[in-house]
Amino acid sequence: MPDYTNRFKKSLKEGRANIGLWISLPTAFTTEICATAEFDWMLLDGEHTPTDPLTIMSQLQACAAYNTQAVARPPIGETYMIKQLLDLGVQNLLIPMVDTPEQAKELVRAVRYPPHGIRGVGYGSARVSRWDSRKDYVKGANEEVCLLVQVETATGLGNIDAICAVDGVDGVFLGPSDISAALGHLGNPGHPEVVAEIERCIAIVLKHGKAAGILTPDRNLAKRYLELGCTFVAVGADARILALGARELRAAFPS
């Protein structure tokens, strides 16, 4: 029987740094290409891409043969979307636009079976239980899930201390692009005011004993956030790698 231990969640609890890659191309083919690099984690993005649950399932299958952990992001933290992803076998969820502790508490309930939550029970016909071959799945299901929430709006930033205090939230991801917009620096996540706010939030997340995460293609900033204690840091995105590589190659042969 395969080992279903959530290695990503375990690593975060142990405080180890995990370097990630953003996957925005909605196909298992390029996901598997990226998986060969064996980043510690890869974010399957359903918020800003046309990626849907069936695509995420194929991406999970593409990742399975490699030493990388998948984290899935739905477009919004709706209970039915979370249920679908969990039943597909997603162990790690990143929920965008979490603004209040009440919202965070509802997300915790959404990833847990009763009596501790409201997750619907349908594992017998789902991929997560290997179609009922995992007879003990429900016994440890609640503990298998790693719930990460994104704080990225002015409201969320104001409530970050209370959000971090919610039991069942495993980590907080700080969305630099939206934070820069919230602070009046749209398109400039490296602005000193944005960086200072992110650093303030990292300290609050760590104070609560939660994992702090972020995405930045700026290598110096990525190293800075790792030094400050972030334990899940995405350092690039597949679409950006492809675009920059293609343009660099073309520029080498001007016509």
Side-chain angles (χ1 to χ4, degrees):
M1 181 68 72
D3 180 8
Y4 295 104
T5 300
N6 189 335
R7 292 184 286 113
F8 179 69
K9 182 175 182 177
K10 183 174 183 289
S11 178
L12 293 184
K13 284 189 172 182
E14 293 172 351
R16 288 186 278 129
N18 291 265
I19 305 303
L21 182 70
W22 222 251
I23 302 297
S24 55
L25 299 176
T27 166
F29 194 84
T30 52
T31 300
E32 184 168 7
I33 291 173
C34 292
T36 64
E38 298 196 333
F39 282 87
D40 297 311
W41 62 288
M42 300 204 307
L43 189 284
L44 312 178
D45 188 13
E47 183 186 10
H48 292 297
T49 75
T51 301
D52 59 17
L54 282 176
T55 305
I56 286 177
M57 182 179 73
S58 66
Q59 290 174 313
L60 290 173
Q61 292 167 333
C63 291
Y66 303 91
N67 187 28
T68 187
Q69 297 287 290
V71 180
R73 178 167 75 167
I76 193 170
E78 291 286 354
T79 300
Y80 79 91
M81 292 183 183
I82 290 171
K83 175 170 59 178
Q84 283 186 317
L85 293 177
L86 292 177
D87 284 352
L88 279 177
V90 170
Q91 288 186 312
N92 308 296
L93 284 165
L94 178 60
I95 309 298
M97 298 290 181
V98 178
D99 290 335
T100 67
E102 291 76 20
Q103 187 182 358
K105 289 175 184 177
E106 285 305 306
L107 292 171
V108 172
R109 282 165 50 79
V111 303
R112 293 178 174 178
Y113 286 126
H116 306 291
I118 58 172
R119 179 182 173 187
V121 182
Y123 63 88
S125 59
R127 181 176 180 270
V128 70
S129 72
R130 295 301 185 262
W131 299 276
D132 214 24
S133 68
R134 291 185 63 191
K135 298 297 184 182
D136 62 344
Y137 169 71
V138 288
K139 294 180 181 178
N142 289 352
E143 294 304 315
E144 279 190 10
V145 178
C146 179
L147 176 62
L148 309 170
V149 301
Q150 283 188 225
V151 172
E152 49 195 340
T153 67
T155 302
L157 294 171
N159 288 323
I160 188 166
D161 197 70
I163 292 170
C164 291
V166 174
D167 184 44
V169 170
D170 296 295
V172 175
F173 180 90
L174 302 165
S177 294
D178 283 290
I179 290 175
S180 65
L183 296 180
H185 303 292
L186 180 63
N188 188 8
H191 189 280
E193 185 181 353
V194 177
V195 173
E197 178 64 6
I198 288 172
E199 292 187 0
R200 179 189 75 87
C201 290
I202 290 171
I204 292 173
V205 175
L206 298 181
K207 179 188 72 174
H208 285 273
K210 305 296 174 73
I214 201 161
L215 161 67
T216 177
D218 184 317
R219 296 187 183 186
N220 290 326
L221 271 182
K223 291 175 182 177
R224 171 65 177 163
Y225 294 140
L226 285 164
E227 289 170 356
L228 289 174
C230 283
T231 50
F232 62 110
V233 177
V235 295
D238 58 350
R240 180 181 172 87
I241 291 170
L242 176 60
L244 292 179
R247 293 165 192 160
E248 181 183 10
L249 181 62
R250 180 66 183 95
F253 295 92
S255 53

